[in-house]
Amino acid sequence: MSERRPYVRRQSRLWWASRTYRGYTLRELSGVGVAVYGAVLLAGLDSVRRGPDAYAAFVGWLSTPVAIVLHLVLLAAMLLHGLTWFQTLPKTMPRLIVGGQAVPQKTITNAAIGLAMLCSLALVIGALS
Amino acid sequence: MDHFDTDILILGAGGAGLRAAIAAAEAAPDQRVALVSKVYPMRSHTVAAEGGSAGVVQAHDTLDDHFNDTVSGGDWLCEQDVVEYFVSHCTREMIQLEHWGCPWSRKPDGHVNVRAFGGMKIERTWFAADRSGFHILHTLFQTSTKYKSIERFDEYFCVDLLVENGRAQGAVLLCLATGEFCAITARAVVLATGGAGRVFRQNTNGGIVTGDGMALAFRHGVPLRDMEFVQYHPTCMPGSGVLFTEGCRGEGAFLLNKDGYRYLQDYGLGPAEPQPRNKYMELGPRDRLSQAFWQEERKGRTVTTPQGEAAVLLDLRHLGRKRIEERLPLICELARHFMGIDPVDTPIPVRPAVHYTMGGILVGIDTASPLPGLYAAGECSSIGIHGANRLGSNSLAELSVFGRVAGEQAAAFAKGAAAAEIPALLDRARAAEARALGLLNGKGGGERHSVLRKEMADSLEKGCGIYRLGDEMQQACDRLADLRHRYDGITIDDKSRAWNTDWISALELGYQLDVAQAMAHSAIARKESRGAHQRLDGYTQRDDANYLRHSLAHYRKGASPEISYSPVTITRSPPGQRAYGALGEQLEHARKEATHG
Amino acid sequence: MADRDRLTIELWILRYRPAQDEEPHFVSYTVTYTEEMSVLEALQSIKDEQDGSLSFRWSCRMAICGSCGMMIDGTPKLACSTFLRDLAPGPVKIAPLENFPIERDLVVTVADFVKKIESIYPFIMPKETKPVEAGEYLQTPAQMAAYEPFSDCINCMLCYAACPQFGANPDFIGPGAMALLQRYNGDSRDAGSRERLDLIHGEDGVWSCTAVGLCSEACPKLVDPANAVNQNKTNSAFDFFLRGLRKENHS
């Protein structure tokens, strides 16, 4: 019998709450925000299906303080989610080689964010005109 | 004690050991190979080699040039038949590494690129940025996992060789994780345990470079050859000794003294040109550059670092950011992170530190030692290609070329050898275990091994440094004899078994003291100056009449080693004047005229 | 230099000696340090001068051998390239790499990680075999750029210590081994991607990864193992669907 007796440390069940993983945990939680906003949109669509009264009630709810606060929170979540999503993007694709050199991940992220902003802008302009 | 029987036992799993294991597995797939290392193979010190590995590849380069550079670089103390074999097999080995995946740096057309190196007339150093050793080691390690006949013993420390009936037949190992012993019996044994640079204070070596294999062979009667030749690398980090590759100068870096002057031109290496020519100035050999540093320090023309060390300046600035970051990323990382200096805009303070042991276990061209069944390759061996001074990029090539030879030769020997004499070997193994446990459990006089280690390193640095004096070498010899004596009375703090690094360090110190004694006694006996062995006490010239000979240190239990000499094999390059810079070129011309005229 | 300030700093080191300890506990040591002193040098001075029984792995001192990874103030770092000046005034907490069993003191079990490396066929499976005599395979700088960063992994295991999913599932192949896998898959000389793909499906393959991404931040060599893992999630997913299609074609 040798002296060897490796000691196995148990991972804390609350590891995700620790400082180290705060950024990751917030990113994952922001996904819940995206889902909630999806539900809000679906509810709006459903109100359209149910007729003008239901739609008016939905629009009315949108202007209540609760709804405004909720939307601000959801907007923050969406922005965080979008940002982290684009930051993760270059990690999920093969290294992009242009002219014999790898394109920096930051460039890919910035390009993707730029593209998303352009699309959003086009949508907003389209909706306004 | 656990017992494991194999055909070929390889001690050490750095570049040479891994190359030997692969060669043995390919040459004799039916034989079992046990590959032992005191660390995981990828931690081996090959990992720290930066600059690259030699192999003639350019159309205007020749094997003759590589031969001549190596032999004159070694100040004619090389075994010329071995050098001839070596240079003609380097390129093949470099291509083999390429086939196994080594990411050698490339030219735009996809061919392997080469860089200039000190003492080499033509660019022939294959490089993987400035992590060449790292990539060679990882490539070899990863490739070795392909061979089912190789069984690894990672983190097993060798406490003794098993020798019976005048033949090496195995080793006794200490498993670091458990602190238990095991015996491996084998038909052939290969030592590939690396150098011994840690016996000096300022050195570029990893903590594991403690000369274990040298001492093991030495204790079993195998002579250590040319141990006085210890290489100082001229460009290292003051304080820690961490290496800044010669590749820096290969890429065009300058060495400046405190006045911003390229001082090497004062030491027969000039003229100083904006783009140093091969074998001129910064591209001179390591011994000459380290000696020039010593002289500059004497003249008070060095800078002083915050650690209080004298230093000169390694200036990369004129190469520009792009080239520096592309070709020398590790150097950038070391300078920026460890020293807070950006080499792109500030010269790096550097000084010489011990880097390599040219000498080692005496072996012939077939890597066989005088002890039947025992082979050695890589830095632990003295096969005779480095002579009195090794040229940069010849050692990575050496471990590939002769690692392979060792593996093949050991496999051939094992095939013809009788089976290991197991009962007798196990008796010897138990005796070795008892000795190692005696060191652990001995009461001792309370002195720590770390105290002895520091004294050893200080005395060698003083006595066997860049320039040497008879009385200082004598002091080193005396001090080492005293340390050897005190070693028997050390006390180990830690009496436990599992992962007891206190114990391992003490065992390593025992090896180091043996190797240090071989160095100091070989040095004092050589009454001339040659290559890395430079004396200031009346023996300042090379003396071919008396010392164109290899020194051999023989182990004597309880006493200082005995020194004898053996002839040098000279095939086609008669000893000539060794010169670099403009004079070197003149002499080379004259030699060529003489041979063709 | 004599006139330079000699500062002291306290180190809290997690110690575990299997012969005598039931579980790990912190022990305090105080060392004198200078501006350029690394955590490794501090540990060495403790071992040499205060307590010879402290165990840790180290060798090269220049961040290339990968031996001295440990948790320093809660972050996985190489002790040789982490400097006390950046941790002052302390106390500094030093612990063995997270998520690995402790053999003793700062020494963790490495064998499982090495087995993972060995399992992914970490060698070239040549597209075309050619004898050494025929010379090298050509590879342009652009082809090298596709895999070279993944070949810079020093196997220090910091990425595993940073990965909570490896902490939850020790059989997860993990970032380091995946970087090595991608190093070979991305090599223009290699044709082994197919064989390697079979190794990475499932929870113990790439699918334990939730793209936390801290592995890449912990990496001292900018290898970006997160990229290797997540690229291969895509590969694994494609393979899954393509296999479905192939099966339908056969039926």
Side-chain angles (χ1 to χ4, degrees), chain B residues 149-196:
Chain B
S149 61
I150 300 173
E151 178 162 1
R152 285 207 324 274
F153 291 76
D154 297 331
E155 300 196 320
Y156 279 75
F157 182 83
C158 181
V159 296
D160 203 1
L161 296 178
L162 290 172
V163 179
E164 184 66 33
N165 274 335
R167 177 158 78 92
Q169 302 190 38
V172 189
L173 310 178
L174 171 56
C175 170
L176 296 191
T178 61
E180 303 293 325
F181 290 81
C182 101
I184 299 192
T185 52
R187 290 163 194 259
V189 179
V190 178
L191 287 171
T193 52

Side-chain angles (χ1 to χ4, degrees), chain B residues 264-297:
Chain B
L264 293 174
Q265 58 192 293
D266 296 355
Y267 301 94
L269 289 153
E273 293 166 319
Q275 175 73 47
R277 273 189 276 170
N278 296 340
K279 297 179 84 165
Y280 280 69
M281 291 299 289
E282 286 82 0
L283 293 175
R286 292 175 179 174
D287 54 342
R288 290 290 164 84
L289 266 58
S290 295
Q291 288 151 18
F293 169 86
W294 189 93
Q295 304 279 4
E296 283 294 291
E297 187 182 5

Side-chain angles (χ1 to χ4, degrees), chain C residues 228-246:
Chain C
V229 181
N230 285 288
Q231 265 188 65
N232 281 291
K233 280 192 205 162
T234 317
N235 296 343
S236 173
F238 265 118
D239 187 56
F240 179 78
F241 290 116
L242 289 175
R243 255 175 223 212
L245 283 179
R246 274 201 297 274

Side-chain angles (χ1 to χ4, degrees), chain A residues 41-56:
Chain A
L41 278 184
L42 275 179
L45 265 178
D46 186 55
S47 70
V48 173
R49 181 184 65 83
R50 281 186 286 129
D53 288 351
Y55 180 68

